[in-house]
Amino acid sequence: MKNCLKKNFANPSSLYKNAFDSSLIIENARNTISKELNVQSNEIFFTGSASESNNWIIKSVFEKEFPNKKRIASSPIEHPAVIETLEYLRTKGAEIVYLNVDKFGFIDKEDAKQKINNDTMLVCCMIANNEIGTIQDVNYFAEIAHKEKAFFFSDCVQGFGKININLKEFNVDFASFSGHKIGGPKGIGIAYIKSGININPLIHGGHQENGNRAGTESIHNIAGFSKAVEILSKEKQNNSQTEDLRNFLIDEILKLNKEFFSNTPKKQSIPNTASITFSGYLNSVILAMFDFYGISVSAGSACNTQENKPSHVLKSIGLTDEQARNTVRFSLSNNTSFKDIKTVIKKLSNYFDDKSEGILLLSPSEINENIIVDPDIFILDVRFENERKNQAGISGSHEIVFFSFRKFFKLIPKNKKVLVICQAGINSPIVAYYLRKKGIKQVSFLMTGLWGLKKTNPGLLERITGKNITKLVISE
Ligand code: PLP
C-alpha cells in the first residue's frame, strides 16, 4: 500500500507507462482475489465497502425485476446494509419477507420453502452472521431460489478467511466482501456478480470497473485488499486452533453463572466469534470494565449507538430487549493466545465476584429536579458536540471531550458523587468505570442517557437543562 501511494501515483486510466503499472496492480489484485474465490476475474468489482456492494446488488435486482416480481426474501439477521436497503425498497413497493430463524439464527428450511415462491426476485442470505457467528447452509437456500427463478445473494463478509468460500460451489449469483474484515484496509469492498447477469451501473460517469462504478480507483486499497487475501490463504490452517480457544472461552464463561448462555452454536459457526448473554448484567458496563484493562469487546453490532436500540439480530433469535442489552460479542483472531483467553476469564470472574468494582446505574425514572441543586453531585457530560447542539445539557453540568476523557481526570473533584451523562447510555459507563477504578468513591451513569430521559420524561428534561454549563478545558 505504501508503494502504491509513493510510486504508483499515476491514474490507471491514462496512457503512459506509469499508468499501465497502476492498471496492472488493479488487474493483478482482481486475479488474486478471483482465484481465492474460485470465480472469473471479470466477475469481481471493486467498491468502496461491503455496505456499498450490498446496496448496489439489492437495488439493482429490484430495478431489473420490479414490478414483474415483487417479493424479496431474506433472513432477519442480515447486516443493516441489507436490512435497511430492503426496508427502503419496501417503501418503493417491494414485498419484503423475513424467514424464521431458531435460537442460534439458523434459517428454518421449511419456512424458506413456503416463503420463496415464483413471485420472488431475490433471496438474501449471509454466509455467516457478524454478531453470533452462525453459518448458514447457503447452497440449500440458493437451490430453492433458483428453482423459483429468483436471484440469490450472499453477504460473505464474515465468512471470508474463516471458512472455505468457493463461490462456484456455493452457486450464488451475487456476493459481497469487505477489506477490513480480513485484515486489509478500510474503505474497500467487492461485489461479485456472476458472469452473464447484467445489472445497472452503481455510479455513472466513467469506464472504471467495466463501466459499473465510475471514479478513479483507490489503488492502494485494492492492493491492500489483495495482499490481505494472499496472507489469509496461507494462514487458514490456524483457524481450528482459534475455534478451540473460542470454545474454551464459551465453556469457561458459562461456568461462571448458570444463568449465562451462548448465542453462538459451537458447530457451524465461524471460529472467531462468541456471543454470550450475561443475564442480569448490563453489557455496556462489562464493555467499560474490559476497556479499562485494554481488552476490546463489542455489544451486538457497532450500530445504533445513538438510540441504544437492542440488536435486531439478538431480537430475531428470541432474546428480550433486556437479554440483548446483557449480551457481549467476543472476537478472536488467529493471533489470540490461550493466555489472552485466560486473562479475559479472570477479569470477568473478578468483576462478578467483587462488588466494589461497581458503578451505580441510574434509570431515567430516578432523575429528578434535585440533581441540579445538590452540591454533592458533579454532573459530567461526555456527549459529542453535535449531540450538544441538538439538546442542551443538564443545568450545572461540566462538559468534556469523550475521546480524551482520561486527560480530564485531574479536573474532576475527588470528594463528590460523579454522575456521568451521555447521549444514549453507551459511552458514559466507559468513563464512569474509569473514574471509579481511579478512586472516585461514588460514580453513577444515566442508563439510556439524555435520549432515554427525553423519551420517558420530556417535561422534566426541559426543566433541568440549559443553565450554568461549564466546558472543562485542559491546559496542555
Ligand atoms: N456485512 C457484514 C456481515 C458485516 O459484518 C459488515 C461489517 O461489519 C458489513 C457487511 C459492512 O462492511 P463495510 O464496513 O465494508 O461496509
Side-chain angles (χ1 to χ4, degrees), residues 49-51 54 79 126 130 155 157-158 178 180-181:
S49 63
S51 298
N54 291 356
H79 188 269
M126 69 200 321
N130 47 314
D155 173 333
V157 167
Q158 290 289 339
S178 177
H180 66 106
K181 293 295 168 186

Side-chain angles (χ1 to χ4, degrees), residues 1-10 18 21-22 25:
M1 288 179 72
K2 236 197 234 167
N3 271 345
C4 285
L5 288 166
K6 279 184 166 172
K7 292 191 203 151
N8 301 98
F9 195 70
N18 289 353
D21 289 346
S22 297
I25 290 171

Side-chain angles (χ1 to χ4, degrees), residues 99-118:
L99 308 174
N100 295 339
V101 290
D102 70 10
K103 65 175 186 160
F104 289 126
F106 290 114
I107 299 173
D108 179 335
K109 293 185 169 173
E110 284 311 306
D111 193 47
K113 279 192 204 153
Q114 297 296 319
K115 288 182 182 156
I116 301 170
N117 59 16
N118 62 9

Side-chain angles (χ1 to χ4, degrees), residues 10-53:
N11 188 329
S13 300
S14 299
L15 291 175
Y16 38 76
K17 183 185 171 301
N18 289 353
F20 301 152
D21 289 346
S22 297
S23 282
L24 202 57
I25 290 171
I26 298 175
E27 291 325 305
N28 285 343
R30 213 186 298 279
N31 284 332
T32 303
I33 295 168
S34 57
K35 243 187 237 153
E36 178 65 26
L37 297 171
N38 193 21
V39 293
Q40 299 164 33
S41 61
N42 64 358
E43 296 174 308
I44 296 292
F45 297 86
F46 290 111
T47 61
S49 63
S51 298
E52 184 181 309
S53 306

